[in-house]
Amino acid sequence: MKCLVINLDRSSDRLAHVAAQFDRIGVPFELVAAVEGMSLPDLASMARPANHASKLRMTEGEIACLLSHRECWSRIAAGDDAYVAVFEDDVLVSGNAGALLADASWIPADAGIIKLETFFHKTTVARRRLAVRRGFSASRLHGVHLGSAGYIVSKRAAGALLEATEVISRPVDHVLFNPRFKPPSVEAIYQLRPALCAQEHFIAQGMIRFPSLLVQDREEQLELRGIHRKPKGSSGDRIRREFRRIWQQLADLCRLRRSLIVPFEQYRTRVRPPHTQREKNAL
């Protein structure tokens, strides 16, 4: 299977990191030059509707990231491969990834996109699991599961994604893995379990070598605009949230779905980040 890796020309350290990852699993990749926001003087003037999640306008970094993925989709749509894997340059890749990236014969026939990554946040997937290789399985993805550091996309879905993003309106991971914004012509979206890759900054022990530049951009915008994270609600709010959570669990059970955090397997060991999101919120 062809693999594309997005990398900024000036980020030689990230290129060395991802090259070592792919060399370890014996899989070649094709480099795609990431869009450099600083090199596009008109980037700031692009139409940037509010981010639906935070009500903030997309940052220049988010726009550049989307344009970088669009370059991948353009190559895939114009190429001959039925499926192509796309990676960002800060991923850690499972030692078993080579067996899955060797060819596309295991991919479900109705798959348009397969998410290979985990964001270590709860999401909703179908209870039915399709066995693939080396202990991996694929389930239909029904919930929001953000992150765009690793996924497989079909030639047809790549064309649909290009069409859906002709007008820039939301970050690339929402385009890919937020069901609310799924292009109608994109086939089913699947989640690989356990995940084939995860971003380095989620599971790094000690110093993080490759921090998320998009997270930094978003935090700076929040600070500049004087917007603070939503404070904890009242006891009544917490009770209502708990009722909604229970109701959602019952609804998912009836629809043969389940909520989970997708694990990542590295060197035959299940890996979880040092801090869960709940622990972070408690700090």
Side-chain angles (χ1 to χ4, degrees), residues 126-237:
R127 289 185 174 274
R128 183 188 179 201
R129 303 173 63 163
L130 303 176
V132 288
R133 297 175 180 172
R134 296 290 183 93
F136 289 90
S137 63
S139 300
R140 287 283 296 268
L141 181 64
H142 294 290
V144 177
H145 192 193
L146 300 182
S148 55
Y151 59 94
I152 293 172
V153 63
S154 71
K155 175 180 171 68
R156 179 179 174 185
L161 290 168
L162 281 173
E163 184 177 349
T165 55
E166 288 181 354
V167 176
I168 295 175
S169 59
R170 54 189 61 93
V172 63
D173 49 357
H174 281 276
V175 175
L176 288 166
F177 302 117
N178 186 336
R180 178 180 175 186
F181 302 116
K182 174 181 173 292
S185 54
V186 170
E187 304 96 316
I189 299 176
Y190 281 82
Q191 170 70 57
L192 197 68
R193 299 165 53 194
L196 198 72
C197 62
Q199 287 180 297
E200 187 263 357
H201 72 88
F202 276 119
I203 56 179
Q205 301 291 335
M207 183 177 179
I208 296 174
R209 293 179 299 163
F210 308 119
S212 172
L213 301 179
L214 295 185
V215 170
Q216 291 177 355
D217 285 348
R218 178 59 63 208
E219 293 296 335
E220 288 174 3
Q221 187 180 157
L222 287 169
E223 184 176 351
L224 287 172
R225 296 188 59 181
I227 299 174
H228 304 288
R229 296 299 183 186
K230 186 177 180 180
K232 292 183 179 180
S234 65
S235 58
D237 291 333

Side-chain angles (χ1 to χ4, degrees), residues 251-264:
D252 288 340
L253 183 63
C254 293
R255 292 182 291 183
L256 300 180
R257 300 176 182 179
R258 61 173 300 196
S259 176
L260 51 75
I261 295 177
V262 177
F264 171 55

Side-chain angles (χ1 to χ4, degrees), residues 102-116:
D103 64 74
S105 61
W106 58 270
I107 295 177
D110 62 340
I113 306 172
I114 301 178
K115 186 173 178 67
L116 305 177

Side-chain angles (χ1 to χ4, degrees), residues 66-135:
L66 174 59
L67 294 176
S68 300
H69 283 266
R70 277 181 53 84
E71 172 60 27
C72 294
W73 302 338
S74 179
R75 293 190 189 190
I76 296 167
D80 298 324
D81 297 275
Y83 291 94
V84 176
V86 178
F87 295 92
E88 294 176 353
D89 59 9
D90 60 346
V91 293
L92 293 175
V93 181
S94 167
N96 292 324
L100 274 72
L101 296 176
D103 64 74
S105 61
W106 58 270
I107 295 177
D110 62 340
I113 306 172
I114 301 178
K115 186 173 178 67
L116 305 177
E117 175 194 15
T118 179
F119 217 53
F120 295 109
H121 287 193
K122 273 194 175 183
T123 187
T124 303
V125 299
R127 289 185 174 274
R128 183 188 179 201
R129 303 173 63 163
L130 303 176
V132 288
R133 297 175 180 172
R134 296 290 183 93

